[in-house]
Amino acid sequence: AMDTDLSSQDRKDLDKFIKFFALKTVQVIVQARLGEKICTRSSSSPTGSDWFNLAIKDIPEVTHEAKKALAGQLPAVGRSMCVEISLKTSEGDSMELEIWCLEMNEKCDKEIKVSYTVYNRLSLLLKSLLAITRVTPAYRLSRKQGHEYVILYRIYFGEVQLSGLGEGFQTVRVGTVGTPVGTITLSCAYRINLAFMSTRQFERTPPIMGIIIDHFVDRPYPSSSPMHPCNYRAGEDNGAVYPSVEDSQEVCTTSFSTSPPSQCVFTVTKAHFQTPPPVVTDTLKVPVMGLAFSHQLSSSRLSYQPAALGVGSADMGYPLLFAGGLNAAHPHQLIGPGKDGGVPPIPSQPAHGAQADQERLCTPLDGVHYSAATPSSSEDTETVSNSSEGKCGSPHDLLETIFIRKVGAFVNKPINQVTMANLDIPFAMFAPKNVELEDNDPMVNPPDSPETESPLQGSLHSEGSSGSSTGNTHDDFVMIDFKPAFSKDDILPMDLGTFYREFQNPPQLSSLSIDIGAQSMAEDLDSLPEKLAVHEKNVKEFDAFVETLQ
Amino acid sequence: PAMNCRAEVLEVSVEGRQVEEAMLALLHTVLLHRSTGKFHYKKEGTYSIGTVGTQDVDCDFIDFAYVRVSSEELDRALRKAVGEFKDALRSSGSDGMGQISLEFYQKKKSRWPFSDECIPWEVWTVKVNVVNLANEQERQICREKVGEKLCEKIINIVEVMNRHEYLPKMPTQSEVDNVFDTSLKDVQPYLYKISYQITDSLGTSVTTTMRRLIKDTLAL
């Protein structure tokens, strides 16, 4: 569309606003997932470098990654900037938690004042982003990261990819700002079906039994960037130096006018000023020299060197069970076609080449070199060159995976109801047996999806839709019979449908069932006199014991 | 309420010890969106705007965290108001129902002998229902549930803010005190006042209006 109404100065300003808005958006999101509380100071005099009149620190590496992803472009229709937040466990399994999308649609507001109203509304939108980043589930997860898992971020530009979030993901709209060239929208799609079960009772059993992940690594986009940890650690020797922002930093000195709008004075000056070296400031408690952490991550496959972090090996033995939401709709999450005997290996070196590296921490960033440090832990380590196997374990391991359905520790169901089944590979029954039939295979070419249309599509591309930001289309449908897509019930004793039903109706915790409580209370009371007698008999022993403690 | 005044209502059920944190979380979130940096007027009617810092606050009695403006003065003012509300709730002998309102207004100067008018343009009301819990297990569940509820409320607040509905026009230097509270040294919220009502067990409301805590209104 011809923007004859927009002066060239306004256009320049608008582009600049959008660019810095995108950079600040990324900073806010990543900083909100660092796992630490953020604190910045208010300043009554404008410092000239605080875009949108908000004190948001710039972590140089994050800015660098964002600029790399944008590659000089701006969000436009069909070209969105996405920040993907995911979680990676100590065993190397990972899961997408959120996708934050900065998008542009075609609805233009020609009347709006760029240097004034748009700027202020972008500032308001950043404030909303600050608030919303604390209320999605990933926030609490990120505050607890460090021992069992870390939180990673990845920035990409282009088409939004939500399939890694599992079924039934929710969306929240942060806000929109109309501009003469389109409407900027900022939203977040987040996974809801994750169930972390602490499996302390399994500590003594061999680890990695039947971890169900509904997400495999393969990324469909060759241009997507590697993952980075949100959680930086200081004090390591850092091999990478990122150009500090000052080389291209633009100072934003804004003056607003209260006179008639035509006299709006807006000055943006470009200044080369020295930003101090990226060190910890007194307000932002996050060390910025963080690249070394990703070095560790890549070289030891596990995110932590147990000695360094003081985590005992026992603590790292938690298999995490991600329940529900087996998302079989995404062809790329499937295992490749079977080669012989119908046992498809999980591609450890996918044919997709560069895509394999997408989710890793171990992909060397441009111009960054680091040595594969010798990790302190033993057999579970790998070197950088072998990184791609880290994700799923070698195919060999998977052939021996035993599928065990875990029952919660405090469930009042006898343990023998746990079913066991021997599976070569998780989801083996979904794998196409024959390469030629791929076209007919619903896994590769999924049929039209069932009733749950992605709420994100609806809310982002239809103007008048308010209230769908947290809405859930599930509420509009009455479930008559549950036939989950792509489930087959003739192979496993437990199929997806059963699992889903049982998951929706978990057994009652034994401590919450009143009968048992009352019953055992009665029993306890009855047995009290007996117990007291025994204790009285042994009173001398007890006294002696107490003496030793004094 | 005057014409064109937006009214938003939020309702929460909390345990007694959660009242303060829940109120602060919601009111601070509103004020985050309704505060700017300090204005500095220059010649020819132009002005520049200071910088607003923010900080994370963790709640002790709720599984929840929120962001507030980095301004000790503003935080103190809110804590004072919320503290009084909590005390009133507790001592009223009611069954723990009340509401606290955050009202944004503009001042309209009138000629003597008429006093200035306060015209509200947005009112946020938080209705509180205090529940009593029997045991630790219930309290633990309440921590989580209230945390989830507050997340929903934050999303609601942000939705309203995103509508970009009426906001007072940016004032000239002579008018700035009719629109903004300029008494704080580091940030500049829109003029606001906080009041609350306790509902006693008969359902009638006992109104206690609190004067704005900032001295401005007392300036003669």
Side-chain angles (χ1 to χ4, degrees):
Chain A
M2 282 276 281
D3 294 325
T4 48
D5 300 337
L6 199 61
S7 76
S8 74
Q9 181 59 43
D10 270 351
R11 183 65 207 243
K12 265 176 52 185
D13 288 344
L14 184 59
D15 285 349
K16 197 163 296 176
F17 294 171
I18 296 177
K19 170 185 163 190
F20 280 94
F21 180 76
L23 296 179
K24 288 296 181 183
T25 291
V26 175
Q27 290 287 349
V28 168
I29 294 168
V30 173
Q31 289 175 29
R33 298 288 176 264
L34 290 169
E36 306 190 16
K37 285 163 71 165
I38 305 297
C39 180
T40 59
R41 272 204 284 262
S42 301
S43 155
S44 102
S45 339
T47 62
S49 63
D50 292 323
W51 274 93
F52 309 106
N53 309 119
L54 285 172
I56 298 172
K57 293 283 185 228
D58 287 316
I59 300 177
E61 193 211 62
V62 174
T63 300
H64 179 87
E65 287 303 315
K67 284 184 171 171
K68 218 169 67 166
L70 288 171
Q73 300 187 324
L74 290 176
V77 179
R79 292 204 313 263
S80 311
M81 188 188 75
C82 299
V83 181
E84 179 191 284
I85 300 292
S86 62
L87 174 152
K88 185 161 178 139
T89 69
S90 53
E91 268 101 31
D93 304 305
S94 75
M95 179 167 79
E96 279 176 43
L97 298 177
E98 305 171 317
I99 315 274
W100 296 84
C101 306
L102 177 57
E103 301 178 90
M104 186 77 116
N105 71 33
E106 289 137 343
K107 186 179 179 202
C108 300
D109 183 346
K110 300 279 188 197
E111 311 287 305
I112 204 169
K113 300 276 174 298
V114 169
S115 63
Y116 176 72
T117 309
V118 172
Y119 190 81
N120 286 328
R121 286 188 181 175
L122 289 174
S123 174
L124 195 70
L125 188 50
L126 277 175
K127 291 173 180 173
S128 294
L129 183 64
L130 283 163
I132 297 288
T133 42
R134 273 64 177 175
V135 304
T136 53
Y139 180 72
R140 307 211 53 206
L141 283 173
S142 67
R143 290 292 299 270
K144 295 184 197 156
Q145 69 182 293
H147 294 299
E148 294 159 31
Y149 58 87
V150 279
I151 304 293
L152 316 173
Y153 75 94
R154 182 171 77 91
I155 307 172
Y156 64 91
F157 189 73
E159 264 187 53
V160 179
Q161 251 302 325
L162 299 177
S163 51
L165 295 174
E167 278 178 19
F169 61 84
Q170 296 229 339
T171 60
V172 58
R173 166 174 290 193
V174 182
T176 63
V177 174
T179 80
V181 303
T183 298
I184 296 167
T185 70
L186 185 53
S187 59
C188 174
Y190 58 94
R191 168 188 289 274
I192 52 167
N193 53 13
L194 43 83
F196 289 109
M197 283 162 58
S198 168
T199 53
R200 281 174 204 268
Q201 74 274 20
F202 292 104
E203 255 175 74
R204 300 222 172 79
T205 63
I208 317 202
M209 310 261 273
I211 296 180
I212 301 174
I213 321 167
D214 68 345
H215 162 69
F216 291 95
V217 164
D218 290 323
R219 301 270 163 189
Y221 297 101
S223 60
S224 35
S225 55
M227 291 288 224
H228 303 274
C230 288
N231 191 344
Y232 295 90
R233 293 272 182 260
E236 309 283 338
D237 192 35
N238 182 7
V241 175
Y242 284 107
S244 11
V245 184
E246 93 266 284
D247 288 14
S248 51
Q249 175 129 31
E250 312 210 19
V251 175
C252 160
T253 317
T254 56
S255 288
F256 294 92
S257 170
T258 53
S259 336
S262 58
Q263 285 184 24
C264 231
V265 172
F266 183 92
T267 56
V268 177
T269 59
K270 205 168 189 154
H272 297 280
F273 60 90
Q274 285 286 29
T275 51
V279 293
V280 181
T281 67
D282 59 342
T283 49
L284 182 62
K285 297 189 173 64
V286 172
V288 182
M289 320 260 286
L291 232 242
F293 190 62
S294 65
H295 299 182
Q296 273 184 291
L297 282 154
S298 62
S299 61
S300 64
R301 195 243 292 210
L302 305 175
S303 314
Y304 331 86
Q305 308 220 336
L309 289 179
V311 175
S313 53
D315 296 300
M316 291 170 58
Y318 294 176
L320 295 173
L321 178 63
F322 305 124
L326 296 171
N327 181 3
H330 194 295
H332 293 278
Q333 295 181 359
L334 230 224
I335 338 158
K339 297 213 162 72
D340 40 45
V343 174
I346 294 221
S348 52
Q349 282 290 0
H352 320 290
Q355 297 159 18
D357 296 332
Q358 298 330 318
E359 202 238 1
R360 321 274 187 237
L361 307 155
C362 36
T363 307
L365 302 167
D366 301 335
V368 173
H369 298 284
Y370 49 87
S371 52
T374 321
S376 60
S377 44
S378 49
E379 68 281 354
D380 282 339
T381 63
E382 56 172 307
T383 58
V384 172
S385 58
N386 218 7
S387 53
S388 49
E389 285 203 13
K391 169 70 189 71
C392 311
S394 65
H396 194 69
D397 291 342
L398 285 162
L399 290 175
E400 286 143 25
T401 300
I402 295 175
F403 173 76
I404 289 187
R405 195 170 130 243
K406 295 182 182 142
V407 172
F410 307 110
V411 166
N412 61 348
K413 215 178 189 178
I415 198 77
N416 55 22
Q417 284 193 19
V418 172
T419 53
M420 287 184 61
N422 226 322
L423 251 199
D424 290 324
I425 296 283
F427 318 122
M429 70 288 254
F430 298 142
K433 301 285 190 288
N434 193 327
V435 183
E436 282 83 54
L437 291 180
E438 217 174 330
D439 281 334
N440 297 328
D441 192 318
M443 297 308 301
V444 176
N445 296 312
D448 296 339
S449 58
E451 62 266 22
T452 48
E453 191 193 15
S454 157
L456 188 66
Q457 296 302 321
S459 65
L460 286 185
H461 298 296
S462 68
E463 306 322 318
S465 72
S466 58
S468 58
S469 48
T470 52
N472 191 334
T473 49
H474 293 291
D475 294 340
D476 296 335
F477 294 89
V478 173
M479 187 96 79
I480 295 168
D481 186 26
F482 189 70
K483 276 194 164 38
F486 316 128
S487 86
K488 298 183 191 178
D489 54 7
D490 52 348
I491 295 180
L492 264 191
M494 182 197 78
D495 71 351
L496 174 59
T498 312
F499 173 79
Y500 207 101
R501 270 190 290 273
E502 300 223 25
F503 175 60
Q504 300 281 29
N505 299 302
Q508 179 77 297
L509 287 181
S510 56
S511 57
L512 286 184
S513 76
I514 302 168
D515 303 336
I516 295 179
Q519 200 180 9
S520 65
M521 171 102 115
E523 281 172 357
D524 284 341
L525 285 174
D526 285 339
S527 64
L528 266 183
E530 212 181 279
K531 289 192 180 144
L532 279 174
V534 170
H535 290 320
E536 271 184 44
K537 229 172 57 166
N538 299 330
V539 73
K540 280 216 183 66
E541 252 181 70
F542 287 126
D543 285 345
F545 174 63
V546 169
E547 289 293 332
T548 67
L549 295 173
Q550 308 285 13
Chain B
M3 264 174 38
N4 300 326
C5 175
R6 232 175 358 262
E8 306 293 338
V9 178
L10 304 162
E11 293 192 45
V12 288
S13 286
V14 296
E15 220 197 334
R17 61 183 188 167
Q18 297 173 319
V19 168
E20 280 189 90
E21 290 182 330
M23 297 304 103
L24 285 170
L26 298 177
L27 298 181
H28 265 304
T29 300
V30 172
L31 276 164
L32 168 68
H33 290 81
R34 293 285 181 250
S35 301
T36 77
K38 299 277 295 175
F39 282 13
H40 297 276
Y41 286 91
K42 303 187 277 215
K43 53 196 186 308
E44 290 155 16
T46 63
Y47 61 96
S48 59
I49 307 182
T51 301
V52 172
T54 58
Q55 56 188 247
D56 279 308
V57 181
D58 286 340
C59 294
D60 294 324
F61 301 111
I62 314 173
D63 289 348
F64 186 71
Y66 61 95
V67 175
R68 69 167 174 90
V69 166
S70 286
S71 164
E72 291 318 306
E73 285 175 276
L74 187 62
D75 190 38
R76 267 201 303 272
L78 283 193
R79 283 180 183 276
K80 184 150 184 267
V82 167
E84 291 187 24
F85 173 59
K86 182 202 78 180
D87 291 340
L89 263 182
R90 202 192 292 151
S91 63
S92 68
S94 75
D95 35 353
M97 283 183 57
Q99 60 184 56
I100 186 166
S101 292
L102 171 60
E103 174 191 297
F104 293 102
Y105 66 95
Q106 279 177 264
K107 268 201 283 211
K108 192 162 159 221
K109 296 256 188 258
S110 300
R111 291 180 155 276
W112 184 88
F114 303 104
S115 56
D116 294 341
E117 268 185 273
C118 290
I119 305 170
W121 52 271
E122 187 176 81
V123 180
W124 294 85
T125 301
V126 185
K127 293 193 168 157
V128 180
N129 178 35
V130 180
V131 298
N132 293 310
L133 299 178
N135 59 47
E136 202 48 48
Q137 206 170 47
E138 288 185 20
R139 277 192 203 100
Q140 182 55 39
I141 296 174
C142 193
R143 282 186 68 102
E144 294 164 14
K145 288 276 178 238
V146 171
E148 287 168 22
K149 259 293 171 230
L150 288 178
C151 288
E152 286 174 31
K153 302 303 162 194
I154 301 298
I155 293 174
N156 294 150
I157 294 173
V158 164
E159 268 170 15
V160 172
M161 298 299 179
N162 181 56
R163 289 188 211 143
H164 301 306
E165 289 170 343
Y166 172 78
L167 284 180
K169 218 169 51 156
M170 282 301 146
T172 58
Q173 188 165 16
S174 57
E175 292 283 306
V176 70
D177 290 309
N178 295 335
V179 174
F180 285 104
D181 178 347
T182 56
S183 69
L184 290 90
K185 67 178 196 316
D186 43 15
V187 296
Q188 190 174 288
Y190 281 101
L191 280 176
Y192 72 92
K193 53 171 87 134
I194 300 180
S195 58
Y196 59 84
Q197 293 178 352
I198 308 296
T199 312
D200 67 20
S201 30
L202 295 176
T204 56
S205 64
V206 178
T207 306
T208 310
T209 304
M210 248 165 23
R211 290 274 162 212
R212 248 188 38 170
L213 304 163
I214 313 293
K215 289 187 199 138
D216 228 27
T217 41
L218 304 176
L220 300 164

